[in-house]
Each structure stands twice: as C-alpha cells, then as structure tokens.
Amino acid sequence: MPGRTAYGFPVDFENSEMLRRAVAHLGPSLPLLTDLGERFAAAGHELALVGGPVRDAFLGRTSPDLDFTTSARPEQIEAILKPWASTTWDIGRAFGTIGGYRDNVTVEVTTYRADAYDGVTRKPVVAFGDNLHDDLRRRDFTVNAMALRLPDLTFVDPYDGLDALVKRRLRTPAPPEVSFGDDPLRMMRAARFAAQLGFDLAADAAEAMQAMASSIEIVSAERVRDEFSKLLLAPAPRRGLVMLVDSGLADHFLPELPRLQLEIDEHHRHKDVYEHSLTVLDQAIGLEGGSGPDAVPGPDLVLRLAALLHDIGKPATRRFEGGGGVSFHHHEVVGAKLARARLRALRYDKETVKAVTRLVELHLRFHGYGDGAWTDSAVRRYVADAGELLSRLHLLTRADCTTRNQRKARRLSQTYDELERRIAALQEAEELAAVRPELDGHQIAEVLGIRPGPVLGRAYAYLLSVRLDEGPIGPEAAADRLLAWWADQPECR
C-alpha cells in the first residue's frame, strides 16, 4: 500500500504537486475545514468539501462560499452547526441543506443525495444517499465531482475530475444522456462553464446536448434566466453563447439569437448580423470599467444584454434593395419590442426589461448626428431620452462600430468624441442630467388656474419640450410661452 503525504495523498500519485498547491490555496480556510470535519467525525458522521470550492482551489481561484456533503441528516447537521456558527438557517431541509455563518464565511452542508426526477416538472424527488461516491456521481460535471474528506484532507476523485480539469474538458460523471435527463439545466451550465472557465465540452456530451436540446423547455423560465445571466456575466460570454446556438439550446429559450444568422447571397451582401452582435458584446465588455463620471462598472448585465440583442429586429425588417443593397429600416423599433417580449418571457425584472429595451431602441440615434450638425436642442433630447442610461448608451454606441475600415472607424470614434464633448459642455452649463421645465407643477397650475390631472401633465410636457429645444429662458418667459400654448388648447375655450 503506497505511503501518504502530509495531506493524505498517495505519494506516487502523479498529480500530487497539483494537490499540494490546491490545499495550499485553501490555507486560510484549513482551520475552519479541520474544525468542522472534527465536529462531524466526533458525532459519528462523514464530511467532505465538494464541488466548486475544490475545483477552484486547483484553478487558483477562491470560492465565496464553502459547500460540504455529509452522511448526517438535516436535523443532525443543524445540531452540529448551531454550537459552531454565529447563525444557521434552513436553506432547504427537504433537500437536505442547512446553512451556517461564522467569521465572514458562509457554509452550506447537504446530506448525501441520490436524486431522481419525475421527468415532467424537473422537481427532484429527494432520496438521501449513504456514501460519498454515489453523491458525487449525481453532480453535473466531473470537475465538480471531486471532494476533500475532512478532517484528514483525503482527496476523492472517482470520476477523474482532475484529469478533466487539466485537459479543460467538461465531462459528466454519469452518461450525459442520464445526467442531462436528470436536469436539462445542466446543458446550459455547460455553456456557462465554457464562458467562465474557458473549458471545452466532451464529444459525447456535445452530441447529447444537440439530441436533448428541446428538453430545456421543461425547466422553469426563472432557472433558465439565472443560468443565462451567469453566462453573460462571465469573462468571455461569446464561447458559451456559441455553444448555446450550435447545440440548438438557444432555439428553445432565446430564438432571436440564432435567427441573426441571416442567409447571405452573392447578390445581396450585408454584414453577418450574428457575428456582428457577438463582436459588439465583446467590445462592450472591453469598455466596461474605466474611471470618471460616465464609467460603467463591469460586469454590467444591462449593457451586455443590450449589446447582444441590439440588432434582433434585423431579420424581421430585412429588405433587398435595387443594386444589391439591403436595408433594415426601423429595426431598432422592432428590436425593442422583441427584446421586451423575450426578457419578459425569461422573467427578468421590470427595471432590467425597461433599461435593455430602451437601449435597443436608442442604439441607432447617434447615427443621425452625421457630421456633427445636431443643434443644441437635439443634443439635449439625446441626453433626456437616454436619461440614467446615458453612460451605457455611450458604450453601446461605441461598441456597435465593428467595421474593418480603419478610416471609417476612426471617423465614427472622433464624431462620437465630439458629441460627448458637446454633451459635457451642455451638462455643465445647464445641468442636463436634472433638466426640468422652468415652472414646476404647482406653478403651472397657478398660471393656468387648473387642478392636477391629465391636462396639467400635458402642460408640463409642453414646457419640458420648450426647455429641451431652447435651453433656459427664465420663469417669466416660460409662463408667457405656457399661456400662449394654453390659448390654443380646447380646454381653455
């Protein structure tokens, strides 16, 4: 029987140096891991660190939370955690999970599982397991099916997860048809890991995804949305998005994306809208961060959704013109409607839907700026229409330039630089970010002698348009303009 290292690993194990580095990376958590392991062992139970924290330790990453699996049942887990943690909570007792918090560390401890699914609702029928190997087999990918037994830190890898990690390959512990059949969301998780970690998908898993893509439709919209958002917020979403499209998964929850792959013929040429959209997303991500008042900290979900979806109105608006031209008139308006419907179907919150939809609607507005001939009124309206989305609109507009013509790209960039300078100058002079009519609602009501209601709202909107068109004109002049406008309204006759 081979000897063992100080960490409990076989000395002849070829990846022992990797294991030592992984445990060293867990160094700050080792006292906590040992303490918990000893507490569970003293109570007669097994405990192991599993999943993401183990995988990330090999990658030199730090997981925000620590996940454990144990032979103890939920009530036993709770009894062990209560004296140790400053607080505990029931994450999902029916599923065997109890949470705890101590010294700025969150832990989740789950009873060994052997889930089964009903094949219709995707709700797991919980069956508690009795050993670590079976628990690891039910996990999504072998890179997440590695464990460290506690407190002795023995490495457990029955499905060669470390080998897959070294090869940057996503494999399933069980046959992929079984794994994806148990929970189709794992197919989306594969795309997310591709985006987050830069991994490739094993050939058998890729084939299973294509064959089983339609089964994603039985997963709740909320779960699909959350997984898709995690993918978009990854460092390199393109890799995962391509996997979603190539596998056919996107056809079932985001069909607008694969539809961007418009057929191009030799007589009617236009830019590849699908590749363009992915490039715009890449470029928008590259513009996140920075400094200054207009910076957009990354990762920003609203900006990334808008970049990906900004041209989804093009397939419905494509028209072939004479001379081989192609037009997409009003695709921004159509695209905004499509984006709103799709994001609502995915159960995104109202603010996200509103913001993304507005950015899609506004993404072409800059191109009316042309050679910089916009009036101050037009610049004010650009700012007012964007509102709090102005910083994101700046980045989306810049990212939307994917031309290979360097001269054209420089010209567009310089033109937008000029627009931003004009915006900054007007903002400084007129406080555009907080632009309001020069009479408030009470003053408008007093001047016109009316009560609050729809008519007052129309009057307010009129004065706002005066403010945007002409800039500050003073309260007295605003009152005169208001009375002149009122004289032409049916209500005053």
Side-chain angles (χ1 to χ4, degrees), residues 145-185:
M146 302 181 289
L148 283 178
R149 286 191 185 273
L150 303 171
D152 60 354
L153 300 177
T154 301
F155 181 60
V156 181
D157 184 19
Y159 304 106
D160 295 325
L162 187 55
D163 178 71
L165 195 70
V166 170
K167 294 177 179 177
R168 308 184 75 79
R169 190 69 46 81
L170 289 171
R171 303 189 186 104
T172 55
E177 296 81 6
V178 174
S179 182
F180 296 157
D182 281 347
D183 186 0
L185 192 69

Side-chain angles (χ1 to χ4, degrees), residues 285-316:
I285 292 170
L287 294 172
E288 290 176 341
S291 58
D294 290 332
V296 177
D300 188 88
L301 181 62
V302 168
L303 175 63
R304 295 184 182 200
L305 280 168
L308 182 65
L309 303 179
H310 76 285
D311 273 348
I312 61 172
K314 280 191 171 180

Side-chain angles (χ1 to χ4, degrees), residues 244-289:
L244 291 176
V245 171
D246 290 350
S247 67
L249 274 173
D251 292 330
H252 300 281
F253 77 93
L254 189 64
E256 293 81 6
L257 183 58
R259 285 175 190 160
L260 292 176
Q261 296 175 307
L262 299 178
E263 183 177 333
I264 301 175
D265 63 46
E266 59 180 328
H267 302 295
H268 298 92
R269 296 186 177 276
H270 59 78
K271 189 177 297 183
D272 185 323
V273 183
Y274 172 67
E275 286 295 328
H276 165 74
S277 297
L278 294 179
T279 300
V280 172
L281 174 60
D282 289 340
Q283 295 185 165
I285 292 170
L287 294 172
E288 290 176 341

Side-chain angles (χ1 to χ4, degrees), residues 415-493:
T415 303
Y416 204 83
D417 287 344
E418 171 60 25
L419 175 58
E420 286 200 61
R421 283 193 289 269
R422 289 186 63 189
I423 289 172
L426 283 171
Q427 283 178 323
E428 182 176 359
E430 304 180 13
E431 297 183 356
L432 284 188
V435 65
R436 298 286 187 276
E438 292 185 88
L439 300 179
D440 63 24
H442 294 295
Q443 292 169 317
I444 292 172
E446 184 177 347
V447 169
L448 299 182
I450 60 176
R451 295 180 177 181
V455 175
L456 180 58
R458 282 171 41 213
Y460 185 94
Y462 168 71
L463 278 188
L464 178 59
S465 69
V466 172
R467 173 69 174 80
L468 291 170
D469 287 339
E470 303 179 32
I473 61 174
E476 291 185 7
D480 290 341
R481 297 291 294 276
L482 180 63
L483 288 170
W485 170 83
W486 181 241
D488 291 332
Q489 304 307 305
E491 291 85 353
C492 75
R493 295 173 186 168

Side-chain angles (χ1 to χ4, degrees), residues 13-41:
F13 187 46
E14 61 181 0
N15 288 313
S16 61
E17 181 57 34
M18 288 184 63
L19 294 166
R20 279 193 290 269
R21 289 199 300 267
V23 172
H25 188 78
L26 289 169
S29 300
L30 285 181
L32 181 150
L33 299 178
T34 301
D35 183 19
L36 272 180
E38 290 174 347
R39 288 172 182 266
F40 275 79

Side-chain angles (χ1 to χ4, degrees), residues 35 62 87 90 97 101 118 184 194 203 296 323 340 370 402 405 441 455 471:
D35 183 19
T62 300
T87 183
D90 186 341
T97 303
Y101 180 83
D118 62 16
V296 177
R340 181 183 295 109
T402 61
N405 185 321
V455 175

Side-chain angles (χ1 to χ4, degrees), residues 40-96:
F40 275 79
H45 304 295
E46 298 175 359
L47 182 72
L49 182 70
V50 292
V54 179
R55 177 200 69 220
D56 287 346
F58 283 106
L59 294 172
R61 295 157 43 111
T62 300
S63 291
D65 301 325
L66 297 175
D67 298 325
F68 301 86
T69 188
T70 180
S71 58
R73 295 302 191 254
E75 63 278 4
Q76 296 168 325
I77 297 172
E78 191 171 41
I80 296 171
L81 286 183
K82 276 193 172 181
W84 173 85
S86 57
T87 183
T88 63
W89 61 92
D90 186 341
I91 295 176
R93 186 178 298 271
F95 299 102

Side-chain angles (χ1 to χ4, degrees), residues 73-262:
R73 295 302 191 254
E75 63 278 4
Q76 296 168 325
I77 297 172
E78 191 171 41
I80 296 171
L81 286 183
K82 276 193 172 181
W84 173 85
S86 57
T87 183
T88 63
W89 61 92
D90 186 341
I91 295 176
R93 186 178 298 271
F95 299 102
T97 303
I98 304 294
Y101 180 83
R102 172 176 167 170
D103 299 333
N104 295 319
V105 176
T106 299
V107 302
E108 293 184 7
V109 186
T110 303
T111 303
Y112 290 155
R113 293 268 291 274
D115 290 344
Y117 291 80
D118 62 16
V120 178
T121 66
R122 309 320 312 151
K123 293 182 179 179
V125 179
V126 177
F128 292 142
D130 57 10
N131 69 86
L132 178 58
H133 283 211
D134 286 350
D135 179 89
L136 295 177
R137 189 177 189 273
R138 56 162 286 276
R139 295 178 181 269
D140 50 10
F141 300 102
T142 59
V143 295
N144 295 326
M146 302 181 289
L148 283 178
R149 286 191 185 273
L150 303 171
D152 60 354
L153 300 177
T154 301
F155 181 60
V156 181
D157 184 19
Y159 304 106
D160 295 325
L162 187 55
D163 178 71
L165 195 70
V166 170
K167 294 177 179 177
R168 308 184 75 79
R169 190 69 46 81
L170 289 171
R171 303 189 186 104
T172 55
E177 296 81 6
V178 174
S179 182
F180 296 157
D182 281 347
D183 186 0
L185 192 69
R186 290 172 173 170
M187 296 185 288
M188 288 196 64
R189 205 169 291 149
R192 192 240 297 179
F193 286 136
Q196 286 180 332
L197 304 174
F199 285 10
D200 294 319
L201 190 60
D204 61 341
E207 291 175 4
M209 280 181 66
Q210 290 182 331
M212 303 176 68
S214 63
S215 65
I216 196 66
E217 294 183 5
I218 63 177
V219 179
S220 71
E222 290 81 3
R223 293 184 72 208
V224 170
R225 173 203 64 207
D226 290 347
E227 201 62 48
F228 181 60
S229 295
K230 290 176 183 177
L231 186 160
L232 273 185
L233 293 173
R238 176 193 281 258
R239 191 184 192 97
L241 292 168
V242 170
M243 187 180 292
L244 291 176
V245 171
D246 290 350
S247 67
L249 274 173
D251 292 330
H252 300 281
F253 77 93
L254 189 64
E256 293 81 6
L257 183 58
R259 285 175 190 160
L260 292 176
Q261 296 175 307
L262 299 178

